[in-house]
Structure formats: C-alpha cells, structure tokens
Amino acid sequence: MDFKLTPDEEAFRDEVRAFAKENLSPEARKSSGFLSNWLKAVREKRWVGFNWPEAYGGGGGGIMKQVILKEEMAKAGAPPLGLCLMGLQWVGPAIIEYGTEEQKKSFLPDILDSKYQWCTGYSEPGYGSDLASLQCKAVRDGDEYVINGQKIWTSIASWSKWMILLTRTDFNTDDKHDGITCLLVEMDSPGIEVRPIKNMAGGSLFSEVFFDNVRVPVENLLGEEGKGWAVTVSALAHERSGISEVAGLAKQLDEVIELAKQATRNGRRASEQPSIRRRLAKADTIIEGMRLNGQRFLTRQLKGEPLSSETSINKLHRAFLAIELGDLSLEILGNASQYLGGDETSGVDQNLWPNGVLDWPTVVIGGGTPNIQRNIIAERILGLPKD
Amino acid sequence: MDFKLTPDEEAFRDEVRAFAKENLSPEARKSSGFLSNWLKAVREKRWVGFNWPEAYGGGGGGIMKQVILKEEMAKAGAPPLGLCLMGLQWVGPAIIEYGTEEQKKSFLPDILDSKYQWCTGYSEPGYGSDLASLQCKAVRDGDEYVINGQKIWTSIASWSKWMILLTRTDFNTDDKHDGITCLLVEMDSPGIEVRPIKNMAGGSLFSEVFFDNVRVPVENLLGEEGKGWAVTVSALAHERSGISEVAGLAKQLDEVIELAKQATRNGRRASEQPSIRRRLAKADTIIEGMRLNGQRFLTRQLKGEPLSSETSINKLHRAFLAIELGDLSLEILGNASQYLGGDETSGVDQNLWPNGVLDWPTVVIGGGTPNIQRNIIAERILGLPKD
Amino acid sequence: MNFGLTDEQQILSNVARRFLDERAPMSTVRDVMESPEAFDDKLWSAMAELGWLGLIIDDEYGGVGLGWVDLAVLLEETGRGLLPAPLISTSLAAAAISDFGSADQKGRYLPSLADGSAIGTLALLEDGDVLGPDGIALAGVKEGGGYRLSGSKRFVHDAGVATLFIVPFRAGSEILFAVVQSSAEGVSSQSRRTMDETKRMGDLTLDNVLVAPDDVLAGPADGAVALARLFDLAAVAVTAEMIGAMDRAREITTQYAKDRIQFGAPIGKYQGVKHPLAEMYVDVETSRSLLYYAAWCVGEKPDGLPLATARAKAYASEAFTRIGTDGVQLHGAIGFTAEYDIQLYLKRSKWALPAFGDAEFHYERVSSLGGY
Amino acid sequence: MNFGLTDEQQILSNVARRFLDERAPMSTVRDVMESPEAFDDKLWSAMAELGWLGLIIDDEYGGVGLGWVDLAVLLEETGRGLLPAPLISTSLAAAAISDFGSADQKGRYLPSLADGSAIGTLALLEDGDVLGPDGIALAGVKEGGGYRLSGSKRFVHDAGVATLFIVPFRAGSEILFAVVQSSAEGVSSQSRRTMDETKRMGDLTLDNVLVAPDDVLAGPADGAVALARLFDLAAVAVTAEMIGAMDRAREITTQYAKDRIQFGAPIGKYQGVKHPLAEMYVDVETSRSLLYYAAWCVGEKPDGLPLATARAKAYASEAFTRIGTDGVQLHGAIGFTAEYDIQLYLKRSKWALPAFGDAEFHYERVSSLGGY
C-alpha cells in the first residue's frame, strides 16, 4: 500500500500546477480573452481529450495522469478543459470506438475545439430509471431513418447543435437491450421540437425533445443497427475514480465552513456550535472517505480490473452530501437563508451565500436515485435476489 | 377537543391514586406479604380482569377507566394487577368469547386468582412474522387430538401450567388462515418437551416447545375446529391506547436523564453536553408524542371506531426508543458502560446502571419488526400495493 | 377526554377545505405567489367574510370568539393548500392585542383586523435573528408619555402588506410593545424575495417614529414573559400550517407512488418507497398530536404551553425537513420540475424550519424546561 | 499510487484467515471467552510463532519488522474472527517502547513481547475516563533518580493477563511513561466482567510502586505529544479490528438474508432488508479506506495521523453501531439468541464505541484539527 506518486507522476503534477498557476493568475482571469486563451492553451498541451488516442487529436494519456490532471484542475478552480462536455465525455469516445472514418473526421476535431455542443437523447418519459425500455421509434426508409417519439431530461438541448440519440428499430426482441439503434442527429432537423423544462430553482437545464417524422441520413448511424445499447458503454480507458469531483466537494465544504465562521445563530457563532461542528466534521470525513474510496477504485483500474458497481458507494455519499451541505447552509443562516439573493445585513460575505441549494435533485436523482444505487450494490455486489 | 377527565373519571383516578398510595407505601412494600396482599387487595377491588364481564368475575370496566387504572398503576410503579399476564391479556378474553361454559368455569377464576401461568404457542420456526403459515399438526383421533410439531419463541413455557396452542388440522385450504385449530394444552402432557433458548443478555425468557404425539382431549378445543385463527383476535373491549406503556418509558427516560446528570464524559457532565441534551429532548418529545397518539387512539375507541393499524405508529416509536435509550445510556457512561454490573468508582448511583440494555430485541422484534409495522402502515392505511 | 375534532371543528375544517379547493386551488396559489406581494384582495375579503380573520377575536370586537385549537384546525387547511395570505400574521397581531391590550386598544384595533381592513403582523426579530428578549435592541426614547423609535425589525412576515405592526422595544429595563401603523410618519416596510414564494418576509424600518402612549400595549405585567408567549403562539401557528403542508406532501407522494409504473410495477410496491412513506405517516400523525396539545394549552393550560410548543415545533421541523426532501426524491426527476407541486412543499419546509425557532432551538428548550 | 494490499500483505491476510478458521473458529472463540481471562495459552504461543506478536517490532529485537499497514491487515482478520487475545494491547506496548524507548530499553523489553513470554498493555486512563493529558492525575514522587507511584489506572485492556504496563504519570509539569511489571512490588491488576466477553478490561492498582530510572521511557521529547500519539495508535488498532468485525457482521447478515425464507421468498429480496445491507457495505468500505490511510500515516506521514485517525475512528464507530444493531434486527428473533454469532458482533460494537474515543469525541477532533 502506497499513497505516493512516482517521480514521473510527480513531475506531471508539478507541470499541471505550474501551468495552472501561470494561466489562472488573478490577472489572467481578469483579462478579456481569458476563456478562449485558456481553451487554446490546454488544447496545445493536448490536455483536451487527454485520454483520447493521439491519432484522433487526443493526449493518449493514461489513467493515473488523467486523475492528476483532473484533480489539480479542480483544486485550482480551473475552467473546463473544453466546452463541449458531453462530446468530450462520451460522444467522442463512442465515435472513436464505433464511428466510421467519415464520422471521426467530421466530429472529433470540432469536439476538441469546443466548436459546438452535443446533447444526449437517452431518457424517455415513463422510463426514467429503466433506460433500455425506450420506445422512440426509428424506421429505415431508403437512405434515411425516420424518427418519431419523445425524449426527456435532455440537458442543454436548446443550445446543442447535435444529439446522440437512442432509438428503437426493432420492437420484437426478447431482450429489451436489443433492437436499439444509435443515431447522430442534427438539432435543426425539421420535425424536432425542444421544450425546456422549468425546474424548482428557476432554471431550465433540461428539456423535452419531440420527434415528428425527423429524417436522419443513414451515414449518421453510429455502430450497427440494433446494437445501439453497446454504444452507451465506452471501452475507452476513462478514469472513473471520481477524485476530481471530490476536490469540488471539498471546496464546497470549505465554503460552508467559512459561512459557519461568519454567521451567528441564536446569538452565537455557528462554527462554535457543537451540532454544526459535528455535521461539518462528518461531511469532511465522508469527503475524505470518498477521496480514499476513489483511490481504491483507481488502483483497481490501474491494475486493469473492471470497475463497475463499486462506484455506487461514492454516488450514495455524493447524494447525501448534495442534500446535507445545502441544508447545513440554510440552517446556519436561519431566517436569512430564505433571502435567496443574499442578505447584506447578515454580516456574511455575499459570495458565500448558498447558491444552488435547490439544485440537489440533479445530483441525487441524475446518476440514478439512491435507491437504484442501493439495489445495484445489493444485487450486483452482495448477490441478493432481485426485487 | 378536550384533554380533561370527566368528574366521574377524575373521581376514579383519585380512588386509584389513593389506593396506590396506601398499598404501595414504602412500609407496605417492605412488609413480608406485600405481593400477596397486593394481589388480594386489587382482586377485591375487581381491578384484576378490569374489562372482563362481571359475570365471569371481572370488573366490567369501560375503556376510559381501563386507561386511568393502567396509567396510574404504571406511574406508581405498582406490581402487576395479577400474575397470570397472558391469561389476563388474551387467554381469558378468548375463553370468554369462544369457550364452553365448562371451560369458563374451569379456567377463568384461576386466571383472576393468579393460580398458575399460561403460555402461548403461536410462532413456529421458519414462520416468524408469517404466523398463519403454521404447520404444527393436530389430528382428531376419537375423543382426542394428537399433536405433532414444534413451536418457538414461547415465553415462560418452562413455568407455565397451560398453553393456548394454534395447530393446523387442515392442510388443504385455499386461505392459510383456514384450517387452524386452537387447543388448550396442559404443559405436563406426555410428549411435550420444552427447551429454553438462551439469549444474548444471558437470560432465557423464550423456549422452543416440541410436540411428539401429544394427546389433548376434545373438550379442550377452543372455538370451532378449523376456525382457530379468529381466536387470536379478541372482541372484548380492551383498551389499546398503550398509554400505560408510555408511562413506563417516561420513567425509563427519567433514569437516563438522572444518569446524564451524574456521569461525566470527556471531563464534563453529560447532561450539559448538547448532543446528549438533544437526544434526551428528542426521546422526551417522542414519548410525549406517543402519549398523545395514545389519547387519539383512545378517543377513537371511546367513539366505538375500530382501532387497528394506527397502533403501528407507536410500535415504531417504541422500537426506536428501546434501542436509543440503551445506546444513550452506554454512550453517557463511556468505557464504564462495559462493566455490566456497574462501576462503583464512576460516581454514578449504581441503581441507575442501565440494565436490560441488550434486551431491546424483545421489544423491537417481539410485536412485529419495524419493517412489518411499516408494511402494515403502507399497505393497510396508505393503500400501497403489497410487495 | 376527547382528542378529536368537535363537530364544530369538523365543520370548520370541511368548509375551509372546500373553500380552498374552489377559490384557491394550486393554479390560483401559483398566480398569487407570483404577484408582487403574494397577496390577493378578493381572497382576503372572502376570508374575512368566512370569519377566518377574526376567528380568535372576541365577538364583542367583531370576531368569532373561537380558540386556538379552532385556529389550528383552520391553519392546517391553509397549510395544506399553501394558501398565500397573511392569515397567521394577522391572527398573531390580534392575539397580542387580545392578550395584552386594554379594552380601549382592543376596541380600536381588533375590529379592523377581524374585517380585513387592517392586516397585522408581529415584528419581533432584529439583526442577529435572536428569538427572545436578548434579540431586542430597539430602544424607545421617552417623549411626552410616549416613545420615539428608530431602528429596524427583520424577518417580519408579510412586511409588504401589513398595515399594523406589533413592535417590542426596550424602555429602560422593561420590554414594551408598540402598535405601529404603516401609515405613521417614518414607517417604511418592504418584503424581499424568498425561497418559498407563497411566504413573504422583509424589513420594517422605523425612522424616528412617534408612538403615542395609548399605542403602547397596556397589558403585559412582564414584557419578557409576554414576548415569550408571542413567540410560542407564533410557533404554534406556523406548526399548524406545517402539519397541513406535510400531510399534503405525504399524500401527493403516496399517490405518485401508486400511479408511477417503473420496471412493470407501481413504485409504491417497493419497500424502498413504501417504508419512507410509512415513516412520513408516522411523523405527520405524531406532529399532529403534539401540535393539537400545544394549541389546547394556549387557552386551557398556559403553564404547559412553552414545553408543548417546543416539542411540537422541534418534532415537526425535523419531520417536515425529511418529508420535503423525501417527497421530491421519491418523485424522481419529475419532482423538481416547476410544474409539479411537490417542490412547493419542499420550499415550504425550508421556510418553516427557521421560522420562530428551528428543531435545535426547540429541542434545547425541551431540555431546559425539563430541568437538565 | 497503490491503494491495495501488496502481495506480502495479501499473504499475511490469507495466512491469518486460514489460521483463525482452523485454530480459532467461533466454537473456540466461545470457549476462550468463557474462560476466566478470555485467554488461551496455546493460541498465544501459536500467534507468537506466526510472528504476529512482534509484527511491528524491529527484527533486531526479535520481531518481524513490518509496519502499521501490515498490522492493520492482521487486526482486520482477528477482528473478523472476534479472536479473544491481547494482541492489540501487546502491539501497542511494543509500539510505545519502540517509539520512545532507549536502545537498552528496547533490548530489555521487546524480545519478550515478540516471543509472547511477556504480555504488554497501555494503562492510559484513570477515573473520569478522559482521553489526553488532562486525564493523567497519577503523580510520581522522586526517589533516587526514579519515582514512586501510587494510584489507579482504569479501563486497562487485558489488565488480568498483562505482565507489562505502559503507565503515563506526572512528574512536575512533564508527563513521563513508566514501564511497570506486574511482578513488581505493590502492583496488582484484575479484569472485570464486561459486555463483550471476548474483550477483558480492568484496573491497574499501584501501591507505592518504585519505578527505577531505567524503567522510565527515555525517548519522548514531549510527554503530552507522545501520549497523543499512543492514543492515536490505539484508536487505529481498535478501528482495524472494528473493520474486520463489521465486515463479518455484514457478511453473516447478508447470508442470512439469502437463506431465510419468509412469505415464500428470501427476505433479502425486499428493499427493507437489501437496502440496509447495501448501506452496511458502503459504510464498511468507506471505513476501510479511512482506516488504511490512517495506518499508512503512522509510518509515512505522522503529521497527518491525528486527523486521519479521528476521521477513521469517528466514521467507523458510527457505522459499527448501526451495523451491530441492524445486523441483529434483520435476523429477527433468532438474532438475539446466544446460539447465533451475530449478537457477539453487536456486543463488540458496544465495546468498540468508547474504546479510545467515541464518534463524538473524534468528530470534535476533526473540527478542531480542521481549524474551526
């Protein structure tokens, strides 16, 4: 057991830190072209698509360095390494693995260059957790597929140029995972309607997307017809430790601690109150536990072992923290917490005002509800019978 | 809404209080014949079998006065009103409702006079919560039933003279609640073997009971053959508010509070520590909630409405408290808690040492596990589908 | 012993539910909550006609003369329906005047509160959000038998629509209560944007406001004790609305669990869903028991009010926090869309937690009052 | 980066599990725990032969010379099997001497600890059960370079079988550590009956005991710091056994849930059972991660030890409390019969909670060390 980095890894970490220090200085952040300069600089470093093969413009980076890169960037509070998040995370990898040479040439460089957004058409109404039961229909008609149906919970649909879409081309299969076909669809195709879903926090990150006889050329078939389910699972060596996410949670906790130091509650500093201290300490401990769990997942990945259901452990912790850190902030602030925009008379730095306190469902429900995670652990890891 | 007693009820309460004061004085408690004097005195008052019809030697008392009697006795820390607890609680009522005149004459006076104990042969191995699936077999053979099978979790089997036993006389019914036959069995019948079950707290309140060709005369059939399930549900107006039980919990909490006042923890009085205070306050609040819930149940009973699944609410609270009050005592005492017999150097009154801290499963599991209670509420009250 | 609604209370409850279903269904609630002050004139007048605004005001002052258990029955319904209206605020102002005002003051203030022409509210808190006498820094400067007040009150419910504020202030070692009209010179007040849009809250600013001698409540023998009672009444009122709201959140979620099919069965079939719903039921019913006893204490057993209130608000606050979160969570993604109502109940739970003392505050009171 | 067992650690773990399965199955554990001191000579000798007693003792003093991660690997297995033996106690005494003893002292004490002829333990606590320098009242009276000690140490693990006690005491403003032999004049010790019969605990009484100068540990520059480190090492060791025990409790309960048929299906099919089991898994794995990092800090990052230890013991204490209770509860009535093993794990959880600081104590440390 050894929690230390190798000299080569340390050198890479130092390189990332030095880069971040230089490119993320307060002056740099204030400069007018900050974001585009940043994107250009990390692209030159080949840190965008860090784990993509070099042949496709990626960095060809290994697991351990992916972790280092992501963790250091998270700690430095860096902007993303590229703006086309879904493209970088799974659309690109799926195209690398299943795409034609045409598709690779046409799409991969744009993703790396943050040219436009991709969105993901997976979920359907009525089948939230039961993805493979999807009903959105595609019928081959000459050189085109004709799509009819509906998707829901599609993030950033309104400002995406392309969608990676799962459709059903065969309704008579024994296994519902068969007969699914993956298509790449241009969002301005006739027949597509996007209806943003307003959420309780006032935003509308997600949309419903309706397809009414939308025609997609067969060249935009990704992988084989009927074998689209496989496309959702990338074989690309993708670090899954979640360690960079933990760095983000730690930052969030630091803010809550700072809030507790500044706010008074029933006439006394919140950070001096045992109940608040205990909840902060417990959150801290869970975050450290997640980091260390992440290192165990990472070790397994480094050893080439498959990683699957264990990551549900951290998903459950993250769901707990998403709710707990928000609730804790509100409790610390008392009545003032209700002033969503902040309260200048509270004596608390307005930048610490808890934003996104109503956004937790995105995290808690987004990646599969806690109950789904518990089922995964109980059935796949512990071998308990299905419900 | 009115939480006050009527003048008549107040008079009865005062009568009970005065009686308790007189008969439970420190001197009375110390006198040699205390328990037998007590039993005789309450029997004369007709407070044993308080809700039984007067014709059978009971008190013919109504619901409200039952509550008052039980609550006042619990508050006074009185001994039980009779020693044959199961006889008083359900065997007697079952005999009153389903018994022959012979049975009534033969059994009821003895129960009221605490002559001997009854035990209950309901649970079987393999069917803990699923009582109606019982397999213990009774076959009619001339004027006798011949019993073969096994019971488990039978309390006080070793020192009971009689058992109320559920057997199966018909294995081919559509509904498993049919075909069950209730027999009254003398415990010294040939073929009965009682094996006490040692529990983790060191005692053995429960036993396994084995039946090997045990012969029971048909006169001891209670109710009709095959209709024994009904016998488990008494129609006698029996107060079910649980308010007297709450008085017992309140006494237990008072002891934990006293313990917290006396014990130090990390160098500081436990009762001054916010986490302990909060847990004590929460226990107090739940106990008060139970008392008030009990009053609501009582009101429904007084109005003649059927009371069934609502009582699961307080069973869940009681399960929580059974564990919580024990854990709290242990946490207050720290390392010293491990000295089960007490620790004379701890500065804590040895009488406050938490006994029965390992006995909680009797309460938590005894009346149906918390999961069973949740199912009852979800399915019977909320109307959710069965699992 | 009768821990159940009387026939009259049952009628009050039924009428309230019917009125709210008809006149303030969720579509109306949403319209009203999006209005600048979350206030609707016509609804208010209708409530006045039903006698709700003067429910606990003596009939000689234009009220209905009922008690706090009755008010709790009503507030349970308005909480259930998330009715946006300053009903709690105005009832509390009426209670303060009824309990601590002279006959003259009752005669001057109560009829207009009962008929809805005035809207009252308590202005008990200041910067620091401290519940109790320590939280009162506002000091009155004597002037001709009355007082001059300059300062701010914070977290005043319905600050934007209230026309009459009950304002505790210090006069030497005493705490007195001024009745301040929004129309008086130097008085300004405004609501601010809050998480639960059905509940407005804001600031009352007093700029050298003159309080005439007969606008100081005559009654309370001990201002600190009176203040404590007002905090308790306020906590009871808020808790009553919480019970209704959490019960409704439970109902909505239970119904969803019956209707929503996933993996071929209603999700309510699974213990992972049905057990939290059962726990919600346990919590709602127990909160309700605690609350009704506290409401009963208001009139029948004032000595028992502090402890009964502390228990009810503490337990209900914890319960509602959990029910709000679980309610949204058990709905899955749909639960946090603006379109679904369940999220409005989550927001109400966030508003209700700190209102007149959170769970920690009230559990600490249970301990202190319990003598440890 | 390798957060996994090395091949050597895996072998150590496998050998330990095999040894315990063969030589100390639960039937043996039950026999030993019912013996007066919960101690078995032959098991102890066999452990010495396997090198367990000197695992962290340098090889020049007869030990194996491994580190605390290795010790944690071993203790996880002994915790799993509820092995009744003073392995933690003797390892901690060895650690104290290794860390703070002179070469001479190491030479005198360690070999007999490594070969099992001596049994060591820490005697850190006194009346009041206070963890830290404030808990040390025992004062040494100088006599000829050495000290006279009179007083008691409480809650001493394995007090009845230990032959060598590490005894902190006050000498002026300093805290020093005496090595006290059970055979010395004025020393008496006895175990007492405890809830977890596999773990003995008791008192060490010192009646005018003379401690020679070379029986005072020579090393620690600051006694309070040394004391803190010993408390941390003790907490790490106890936590390591807790991980093994809670993992085994989880396994036993999971197996029961698969085997036990009720209402026609294994009870593990229901979410009311499977979800608590999944939570147990989450808690065990997270506890394990926290524990191994703390054990790694012992040798590799001593500055990080206090925080890492506090986190591990706090989290594991809460987790084990829940797992012990849920484990018994999910078994139903059978779970609390003496015959079933699960109740032994519940009792271990009760023993482990206060041992070297409960969850509250360690969470408070997390806060303080975190600078708030």
Side-chain angles (χ1 to χ4, degrees), chain A residues 101-140:
Chain A
E101 278 312 306
E102 270 309 294
Q103 289 170 339
K104 287 174 188 169
K105 265 186 226 151
S106 153
F107 294 119
L108 297 178
D110 289 354
I111 291 173
L112 291 169
D113 289 334
S114 305
K115 283 248 176 93
Y116 47 77
Q117 293 292 349
W118 281 82
C119 63
T120 308
Y122 286 1
S123 294
E124 296 187 7
Y127 302 96
S129 303
D130 185 13
L131 200 59
S133 292
L134 61 91
Q135 301 290 315
C136 182
K137 186 178 179 180
V139 176
R140 178 80 180 255

Coordinates of all heavy atoms in Angstrom, one line a residue, chain A residues 101-140:
Chain A
E101 N -14.8 6.2 -40.4 CA -13.7 7.2 -40.6 C -14.3 8.6 -40.9 O -13.8 9.6 -40.4 CB -12.7 6.7 -41.7 CG -11.7 5.7 -41.2 CD -11.0 6.2 -39.9 OE1 -10.5 7.3 -39.8 OE2 -11.0 5.4 -38.9
E102 N -15.3 8.6 -41.7 CA -16.1 9.8 -42.0 C -16.5 10.5 -40.8 O -16.3 11.7 -40.6 CB -17.3 9.5 -42.8 CG -17.2 9.4 -44.3 CD -16.5 10.7 -44.8 OE1 -17.1 11.8 -44.7 OE2 -15.3 10.6 -45.3
Q103 N -17.2 9.8 -39.9 CA -17.7 10.4 -38.7 C -16.6 10.9 -37.8 O -16.7 12.0 -37.2 CB -18.5 9.3 -37.9 CG -19.9 9.0 -38.6 CD -20.6 7.8 -38.0 OE1 -20.0 7.0 -37.3 NE2 -21.9 7.7 -38.2
K104 N -15.5 10.1 -37.7 CA -14.4 10.6 -36.9 C -13.8 11.9 -37.4 O -13.6 12.8 -36.6 CB -13.3 9.5 -36.9 CG -13.7 8.3 -36.1 CD -12.6 7.2 -36.2 CE -13.2 5.9 -35.5 NZ -12.4 4.7 -35.8
K105 N -13.6 12.0 -38.7 CA -13.1 13.2 -39.3 C -14.0 14.4 -39.1 O -13.6 15.5 -38.8 CB -12.8 13.0 -40.8 CG -11.4 12.6 -41.0 CD -11.1 12.5 -42.5 CE -10.4 11.2 -42.9 NZ -10.6 10.7 -44.2
S106 N -15.3 14.1 -39.2 CA -16.2 15.1 -39.2 C -16.5 15.7 -37.8 O -16.7 16.9 -37.6 CB -17.5 14.6 -39.9 OG -18.7 15.3 -39.4
F107 N -16.5 14.8 -36.8 CA -16.9 15.2 -35.5 C -15.8 15.5 -34.5 O -15.9 16.4 -33.6 CB -18.0 14.2 -34.9 CG -19.2 14.2 -35.7 CD1 -19.6 13.0 -36.3 CD2 -20.0 15.3 -35.8 CE1 -20.8 12.9 -37.0 CE2 -21.2 15.2 -36.5 CZ -21.6 14.0 -37.1
L108 N -14.8 14.6 -34.5 CA -13.9 14.7 -33.4 C -13.1 16.0 -33.2 O -13.0 16.5 -32.1 CB -12.9 13.5 -33.4 CG -13.5 12.1 -33.3 CD1 -12.5 11.0 -33.5 CD2 -14.3 11.9 -32.0
P109 N -12.6 16.5 -34.3 CA -11.9 17.8 -34.1 C -12.8 18.9 -33.6 O -12.3 19.7 -32.7 CB -11.4 18.2 -35.6 CG -11.4 16.9 -36.3 CD -12.5 16.1 -35.7
D110 N -14.0 19.0 -34.0 CA -14.9 20.0 -33.5 C -15.2 19.9 -32.0 O -15.3 20.9 -31.3 CB -16.3 19.9 -34.2 CG -16.2 20.4 -35.7 OD1 -15.1 20.9 -36.0 OD2 -17.1 20.3 -36.4
I111 N -15.2 18.6 -31.6 CA -15.4 18.4 -30.1 C -14.2 19.0 -29.4 O -14.3 19.7 -28.4 CB -15.7 16.9 -29.8 CG1 -17.0 16.5 -30.3 CG2 -15.6 16.7 -28.3 CD1 -17.3 15.0 -30.3
L112 N -13.0 18.6 -29.9 CA -11.8 19.0 -29.2 C -11.7 20.5 -29.2 O -11.1 21.1 -28.3 CB -10.6 18.4 -29.8 CG -10.5 16.8 -29.6 CD1 -9.4 16.2 -30.5 CD2 -10.2 16.5 -28.1
D113 N -12.2 21.1 -30.3 CA -12.0 22.6 -30.4 C -13.2 23.4 -29.8 O -13.3 24.6 -30.0 CB -11.9 23.0 -31.9 CG -10.5 22.5 -32.4 OD1 -9.6 22.4 -31.6 OD2 -10.4 22.2 -33.6
S114 N -14.1 22.7 -29.1 CA -15.2 23.3 -28.4 C -16.1 24.1 -29.4 O -16.6 25.2 -29.1 CB -14.8 24.3 -27.3 OG -14.0 23.6 -26.4
K115 N -16.2 23.6 -30.6 CA -16.9 24.3 -31.7 C -18.4 24.5 -31.4 O -19.0 25.5 -31.6 CB -16.8 23.7 -33.0 CG -15.4 23.9 -33.6 CD -15.5 24.8 -34.9 CE -14.1 25.1 -35.5 NZ -13.7 24.2 -36.5
Y116 N -19.0 23.4 -30.9 CA -20.5 23.5 -30.6 C -20.8 22.4 -29.6 O -19.9 21.6 -29.2 CB -21.3 23.3 -31.9 CG -20.9 22.1 -32.7 CD1 -21.2 20.8 -32.4 CD2 -20.1 22.4 -33.9 CE1 -20.7 19.8 -33.2 CE2 -19.6 21.3 -34.7 CZ -20.0 20.0 -34.3 OH -19.5 18.9 -35.0
Q117 N -22.0 22.4 -29.1 CA -22.4 21.4 -28.1 C -23.1 20.2 -28.6 O -23.8 20.3 -29.7 CB -23.4 22.1 -27.1 CG -22.8 23.2 -26.3 CD -21.8 22.7 -25.2 OE1 -21.7 21.5 -25.0 NE2 -21.0 23.6 -24.7
W118 N -22.9 19.1 -27.9 CA -23.7 17.9 -28.2 C -24.7 17.7 -27.0 O -24.3 18.0 -25.8 CB -22.8 16.6 -28.2 CG -22.1 16.4 -29.5 CD1 -21.0 17.1 -29.9 CD2 -22.5 15.6 -30.6 NE1 -20.6 16.6 -31.2 CE2 -21.5 15.7 -31.6 CE3 -23.5 14.7 -30.8 CZ2 -21.6 15.0 -32.8 CZ3 -23.6 13.9 -31.9 CH2 -22.6 14.1 -33.0
C119 N -25.8 17.1 -27.3 CA -26.7 16.7 -26.2 C -27.0 15.2 -26.3 O -26.7 14.6 -27.3 CB -28.0 17.5 -26.1 SG -29.0 17.4 -27.5
T120 N -27.7 14.7 -25.3 CA -27.8 13.2 -25.2 C -29.3 12.8 -25.2 O -30.0 13.2 -24.2 CB -27.1 12.7 -23.9 OG1 -25.8 13.2 -23.9 CG2 -27.1 11.2 -23.9
G121 N -29.8 12.1 -26.1 CA -31.2 11.7 -26.1 C -31.4 10.3 -25.7 O -31.5 9.4 -26.5
Y122 N -31.3 10.1 -24.4 CA -31.4 8.7 -23.8 C -32.8 8.5 -23.1 O -33.6 7.7 -23.5 CB -30.3 8.4 -22.8 CG -28.9 8.2 -23.4 CD1 -28.7 8.3 -24.8 CD2 -27.8 7.9 -22.6 CE1 -27.4 8.0 -25.4 CE2 -26.6 7.6 -23.2 CZ -26.4 7.7 -24.5 OH -25.1 7.5 -25.0
S123 N -33.0 9.3 -22.0 CA -34.2 9.1 -21.2 C -35.5 9.4 -22.0 O -35.5 10.2 -22.8 CB -34.2 10.0 -20.0 OG -33.1 9.6 -19.2
E124 N -36.5 8.6 -21.6 CA -37.9 8.9 -22.1 C -38.9 9.0 -21.0 O -38.6 8.4 -19.9 CB -38.3 7.8 -23.1 CG -37.4 7.7 -24.3 CD -37.8 6.7 -25.3 OE1 -39.0 6.1 -25.1 OE2 -37.1 6.5 -26.3
P125 N -40.0 9.7 -21.2 CA -41.0 9.8 -20.2 C -41.5 8.4 -19.9 O -41.7 7.6 -20.8 CB -42.0 10.7 -20.8 CG -41.8 10.7 -22.3 CD -40.3 10.4 -22.5
G126 N -41.7 8.1 -18.6 CA -42.2 6.8 -18.2 C -41.1 5.8 -18.0 O -41.4 4.7 -17.5
Y127 N -39.9 6.1 -18.4 CA -38.9 5.1 -18.2 C -37.6 5.7 -17.6 O -36.5 5.4 -18.1 CB -38.5 4.4 -19.5 CG -39.7 3.7 -20.2 CD1 -40.4 4.4 -21.1 CD2 -40.1 2.5 -19.7 CE1 -41.6 3.8 -21.7 CE2 -41.3 1.9 -20.3 CZ -42.0 2.6 -21.3 OH -43.1 2.0 -21.8
G128 N -37.8 6.5 -16.6 CA -36.7 7.3 -16.0 C -35.5 6.4 -15.7 O -34.4 6.6 -16.3
S129 N -35.7 5.4 -14.8 CA -34.5 4.6 -14.4 C -34.4 3.4 -15.4 O -33.4 2.7 -15.3 CB -34.7 4.0 -13.0 OG -34.9 5.1 -12.1
D130 N -35.4 3.1 -16.1 CA -35.4 1.9 -16.9 C -35.1 2.2 -18.4 O -36.0 2.1 -19.3 CB -36.9 1.3 -16.8 CG -37.0 -0.1 -17.5 OD1 -36.0 -0.6 -17.8 OD2 -38.2 -0.5 -17.6
L131 N -33.9 2.7 -18.6 CA -33.5 3.3 -19.9 C -33.7 2.4 -21.1 O -34.2 2.8 -22.1 CB -32.0 3.6 -19.7 CG -31.4 4.6 -20.7 CD1 -32.2 5.9 -20.6 CD2 -30.0 4.8 -20.4
A132 N -33.4 1.1 -20.9 CA -33.4 0.2 -22.0 C -34.9 -0.1 -22.6 O -35.0 -0.7 -23.6 CB -32.8 -1.2 -21.7
S133 N -35.9 0.3 -21.8 CA -37.2 0.1 -22.3 C -37.7 1.2 -23.3 O -38.8 1.4 -23.6 CB -38.2 0.1 -21.1 OG -38.0 -1.0 -20.3
L134 N -36.7 1.9 -23.8 CA -37.1 3.1 -24.7 C -37.9 2.8 -25.9 O -37.9 1.7 -26.4 CB -35.8 3.8 -25.1 CG -34.8 3.1 -25.9 CD1 -35.1 3.3 -27.4 CD2 -33.4 3.6 -25.6
Q135 N -38.8 3.7 -26.2 CA -39.8 3.5 -27.3 C -39.7 4.4 -28.5 O -40.4 4.3 -29.5 CB -41.2 3.7 -26.7 CG -41.5 2.8 -25.5 CD -41.7 1.4 -25.9 OE1 -42.4 1.1 -26.9 NE2 -41.1 0.5 -25.2
C136 N -38.8 5.4 -28.4 CA -38.6 6.3 -29.5 C -38.3 5.5 -30.8 O -37.3 4.8 -30.8 CB -37.5 7.4 -29.2 SG -37.3 8.6 -30.5
K137 N -39.0 5.7 -31.8 CA -39.0 4.8 -33.0 C -38.3 5.3 -34.1 O -38.4 6.5 -34.5 CB -40.5 4.6 -33.4 CG -40.7 3.5 -34.4 CD -42.2 3.4 -34.7 CE -42.6 2.4 -35.7 NZ -44.0 2.4 -35.9
A138 N -37.4 4.5 -34.7 CA -36.7 4.9 -36.0 C -37.0 3.8 -37.0 O -36.9 2.6 -36.8 CB -35.2 5.0 -35.8
V139 N -37.4 4.2 -38.2 CA -37.8 3.3 -39.3 C -36.9 3.6 -40.5 O -36.8 4.8 -40.9 CB -39.2 3.4 -39.7 CG1 -39.5 2.5 -40.8 CG2 -40.1 3.0 -38.5
R140 N -36.2 2.6 -41.0 CA -35.4 2.8 -42.2 C -36.3 3.1 -43.4 O -37.2 2.3 -43.7 CB -34.5 1.6 -42.4 CG -33.6 1.6 -43.6 CD -32.4 2.4 -43.3 NE -31.5 2.5 -44.5 CZ -30.4 1.7 -44.6 NH1 -30.0 1.0 -43.6 NH2 -29.7 1.8 -45.7

